[in-house]
Amino acid sequence: MSDREYPLRPIVGVGAVVLDGDLVLLTRRGHPPNAGQWTLPGGAVEAGESLRAAVEHEVREETGLVVEAGPVVEVFERIVRDDDGRVRYHYVLVDFLCGLAAGASREIVCGDDCPEGRWVKAADLGGLAVTEGTREVVARALAVARGAPPGEPRGLFVGDPSLPGPRRLRTKIVTRDEAVAIADRYRAAGKRLVFTNGVYDLLHAGHVRYLEAARAHGDALMVGVNSDRSVRTLGKGPERPIVGEQERAEVIAGLGCVDHVVIFDEPDPGPLIAAVRPMVLVKGADWPLERIVGRDTVEAAGGQVVRIPLVEGLSTTALIARIVERYRPPSPPEPGARAPAP
């Protein structure tokens, strides 16, 4: 058992989002709780060490790179409990946006805790086994690098019996009135609320990448989910939706990049957008700008409409067709047809 397991008090740690153009520095962990996974370089803060000094020290110790710490990207809490409900790990992590120091080499020389390190395109993170929240932190860092404010503190509570998973997710699922009040609070605080919507009947990688990209355009992401009745007005067929509205909302709420989920009953999200008045409205690039519902509302209030490219070949309709084709029972033989020879 390591000295970081079953701590008497939370361990303060730092993480570094080291950017070099469109590349981000990742390290593969050699020890629990993230052994074998790719994550951001970082570690525990030593007594008497400032947070900035700690993050620069950890990057140098793990990768041999000399970096300069910039602004804080976010503060992240991670609590992992064992099967008996005891706290096995408890970290409070402060993630910094970092860059290579002037004249520093970008050659990686790994230390003991990090058997491997590499520069990875931020857009390619989906192809690696990264730790929970890494993609979101990188997306947030890219936004901060473009001038966005840092994100709100957030937490990941693994195996916490005092706060069951469904209860945690339900705190993200809000009513329309609650959504309006939440949007008002973001506006009053000068923060950018991003809104997008969809059916999300069978969640796939295209949905996840789209929502992560949407979240990077602001400080919080609110997702409108079509109710069952709303889906039936969209011409998707009498069999849709396959998954009920509450379950679809819970799945979306389970994504780390999503902050709030609200179910709407209308055929389109226009009335909900008019009530919430987000600063950023996101839709897929398959929608022509002039046909995006809610565009006039958002732009009239000084907001922005963003179109995000979709992942080719990934759709719920295609996924359903693949399942039907793969599990379709064989056709019965034609009458009078001879059985194949043994």
Side-chain angles (χ1 to χ4, degrees):
M1 184 174 69
S2 74
D3 57 358
R4 297 182 184 180
E5 291 185 87
Y6 301 100
L8 297 177
R9 58 188 58 84
I11 296 172
V12 178
V14 288
V17 186
V18 184
L19 299 180
D20 182 20
D22 63 344
L23 301 176
V24 61
L25 175 66
L26 292 184
T27 58
R28 186 168 58 83
R29 289 295 167 193
H31 303 297
N34 298 316
Q37 291 185 290
W38 290 92
T39 187
L40 301 170
V45 178
E46 302 295 336
E49 190 176 38
S50 72
L51 293 175
R52 291 183 182 279
V55 74
E56 293 173 357
H57 168 258
E58 289 294 333
V59 174
R60 186 167 58 252
E61 186 176 73
E62 293 183 1
T63 67
L65 297 175
V66 180
V67 302
E68 293 180 350
V72 172
V73 175
E74 68 172 11
V75 179
F76 178 66
E77 184 176 31
R78 178 181 174 87
I79 299 174
V80 180
R81 294 181 183 265
D82 63 18
D83 294 340
D84 297 323
R86 294 185 301 159
V87 175
R88 185 176 181 185
Y89 299 100
H90 188 171
Y91 295 104
V92 178
L93 304 175
V94 182
D95 292 315
F96 287 85
L97 175 61
C98 299
L100 290 172
S105 169
R106 61 191 305 277
E107 181 181 356
I108 299 170
V109 181
C110 290
D112 294 338
D113 184 46
C114 140
E116 186 179 359
R118 66 172 67 167
W119 292 101
V120 180
K121 284 190 175 182
D124 295 339
L125 291 182
L128 292 174
V130 297
T131 54
E132 179 80 27
T134 295
R135 280 188 289 268
E136 183 177 351
V137 175
V138 172
R140 163 74 8 220
L142 291 169
V144 170
R146 293 193 295 266
E152 294 293 330
R154 62 188 180 91
L156 171 65
F157 308 98
V158 181
D160 187 344
S162 67
L163 192 58
R167 180 179 161 199
R168 289 201 306 278
L169 301 185
R170 281 196 294 270
T171 64
K172 288 188 176 183
I173 302 172
V174 298
T175 66
R176 181 173 300 218
D177 288 344
E178 290 170 335
V180 171
I182 288 168
D184 288 343
R185 289 199 295 272
Y186 281 118
R187 267 191 301 276
K191 295 186 179 296
R192 290 163 61 87
L193 176 65
V194 181
F195 179 91
T196 191
N197 69 279
V199 175
Y200 306 108
D201 201 357
L202 295 179
L203 196 69
H204 52 72
H207 289 141
V208 175
R209 296 175 195 174
Y210 169 83
L211 292 172
E212 287 183 334
R215 176 63 173 79
H217 285 277
D219 301 299
L221 175 61
M222 180 178 289
V223 179
V225 173
N226 297 70
S227 71
D228 294 349
R229 181 163 62 179
S230 173
V231 175
R232 295 187 187 104
T233 70
L234 301 180
K236 291 180 176 290
E239 300 84 7
R240 303 283 299 275
I242 294 174
V243 180
E245 60 193 53
Q246 291 297 332
E247 292 179 349
R248 288 186 282 117
E250 188 171 320
V251 169
I252 295 299
L255 297 176
C257 59
V258 175
D259 299 281
H260 312 286
V261 180
V262 56
I263 299 172
F264 65 93
D265 215 24
E266 297 86 355
D268 66 59
L272 177 59
I273 294 171
V276 171
R277 295 180 296 142
M279 283 303 296
V280 183
L281 175 62
V282 171
K283 289 294 288 184
D286 57 328
W287 281 83
L289 192 60
E290 64 274 9
R291 290 189 55 209
I292 294 178
V293 174
R295 172 194 171 197
D296 293 344
T297 299
V298 172
E299 291 184 339
Q304 176 187 14
V305 177
V306 176
R307 297 163 68 238
I308 292 178
L310 302 182
V311 181
E312 187 175 353
L314 292 179
S315 73
T316 299
T317 300
L319 182 59
I320 293 171
R322 192 190 319 162
I323 293 170
V324 170
E325 178 64 27
R326 185 166 297 179
Y327 293 98
R328 176 181 295 159
S331 302
E334 293 293 330
R338 296 180 61 185

